[in-house]
Amino acid sequence: MQPKDILLAPIYLYQGNKIKRSTVRLPEATGERQGQVLLHNDSEINGTSDLSPLTVMVVGDSSAAGVGVETQNDALMGHFLKALPSQAAVQQKFAQIDWQLHATTGHTSFDALRRLYVLPKPAAPVDIIVFIVGVNDTTSNISEQRWQSQLNEIITIAKRKFAAKQIIFSCLPPMSHMPAIPAPLNEFIGAKADKLDKRLQRVCRESDCHYLSVDFKKAGFDADKMFAIDGFHPNAAAYEYWGEQLAKQIGELVA
């Protein structure tokens, strides 16, 4: 913590408590949390009988659960599943997409780790596991060392129990720009998120995992264009861009 943060600590505490009291509590998006997406029509079935399914599992927090929109169709998972079939390598190499979503509001990296332990071991290796965590770790003021340790534990169990062929961690969002977080708390939270994100990138490099960078600013998203009415979660347009970026990365990984 910087000297100025020590001086501003009472303000941070006051603003943090005020956010907890006044922020709009939005529900998770409704809709299916698992399913299949066929990649070929009836006329193509005969020529794809030797193709296997692409298995994808997404594990994470409220943004993975689609908080900020009403249905999974408009959430990250919905947009991701719309964009993934358009990836050439996915069409060519797989017969269908078998997907699962395991996400809960408020979940931290520790909660994601605990969920991996609770989930049943799959009958076959999972092709791709995507993790979306970090926001709640940031607001709980986790240490960088603890964050790194839990990320490494997540990677270990994903490889050992789920035999994950590819592991992707999505970047932390631009928390300093969240309308729900006032100044000067937003700068403090944003700096913390940036530190955790840099540590996440390092863990990915050292563990042969993949880091998904989603630059909303580069895509033209201002704060008033990417957040839901709670000023904290993505809106449908932001989820769409995020889902497209995730689908693009997976398309490149399986090529």
Side-chain angles (χ1 to χ4, degrees):
M1 183 177 286
Q2 300 296 321
K4 72 170 185 176
D5 294 324
I6 296 175
L7 293 174
L8 292 173
I11 297 177
Y12 296 157
L13 181 62
Y14 169 78
Q15 291 182 327
N17 289 332
K18 186 176 181 180
I19 290 171
K20 291 178 181 179
R21 294 193 304 268
S22 61
T23 299
V24 177
R25 305 294 179 184
L26 299 178
E28 296 178 359
T30 61
E32 297 297 323
R33 296 287 183 108
Q34 62 181 2
Q36 296 178 337
V37 177
L38 298 179
L39 297 174
H40 303 276
N41 57 40
D42 292 340
S43 63
E44 299 173 316
I45 293 297
N46 292 334
T48 63
S49 59
D50 59 338
L51 298 181
S52 61
L54 173 65
T55 55
V56 180
M57 188 165 77
V58 176
V59 180
D61 55 22
S62 56
S63 58
V67 173
V69 295
E70 292 186 3
T71 70
Q72 289 295 334
N73 191 55
D74 288 325
L76 173 65
M77 201 74 204
H79 286 296
F80 164 64
L81 291 172
K82 293 172 195 171
L84 189 58
S86 67
Q87 298 298 313
V90 174
Q91 277 282 343
Q92 293 166 4
K93 296 186 175 183
F94 301 97
Q96 64 190 46
I97 302 166
D98 292 347
W99 62 274
Q100 298 178 41
L101 172 62
H102 302 282
T104 302
T105 296
H107 271 198
T108 63
S109 56
F110 176 77
D111 295 313
L113 175 63
R114 183 169 55 184
R115 172 161 275 177
L116 292 180
Y117 276 106
V118 171
L119 287 172
K121 183 177 181 178
V126 178
D127 290 309
I128 297 169
I129 302 183
V130 181
F131 292 100
I132 301 170
V133 291
V135 168
N136 298 303
D137 294 270
T138 301
T139 56
S140 66
N141 202 28
I142 190 174
S143 71
E144 292 179 55
Q145 292 75 21
R146 184 60 179 163
W147 166 246
Q148 180 173 338
S149 175
Q150 288 175 177
L151 292 175
N152 284 327
E153 290 185 60
I154 286 172
I155 293 167
T156 296
I157 191 172
K159 290 181 177 179
R160 185 178 67 235
K161 180 177 179 178
F162 296 87
K165 298 177 182 178
Q166 304 282 4
I167 298 172
I168 299 173
F169 284 91
S170 188
C171 64
L172 273 72
M175 296 189 70
S176 62
H177 298 294
M178 290 178 171
I181 307 177
L185 181 61
N186 63 334
E187 292 185 7
F188 176 73
I189 292 293
K192 177 68 174 182
D194 288 343
K195 289 179 180 178
L196 295 188
D197 195 66
K198 286 183 173 63
R199 188 64 66 100
L200 171 61
Q201 293 179 52
R202 192 173 91 182
V203 169
C204 288
R205 288 194 302 268
E206 295 174 348
S207 305
D208 194 28
C209 296
H210 304 279
Y211 170 82
L212 174 64
S213 177
V214 185
D215 192 341
F216 289 99
K217 186 176 181 181
K218 184 178 180 181
F221 283 93
D222 296 324
D224 61 341
K225 296 180 181 178
M226 66 174 288
F227 289 104
I229 58 172
D230 65 352
F232 197 78
H233 291 91
N235 59 21
Y239 276 133
E240 180 177 11
Y241 178 70
W242 190 1
E244 289 171 349
Q245 296 305 299
L246 177 58
K248 180 179 178 182
Q249 185 172 50
I250 289 178
E252 293 170 351
L253 289 177
V254 302

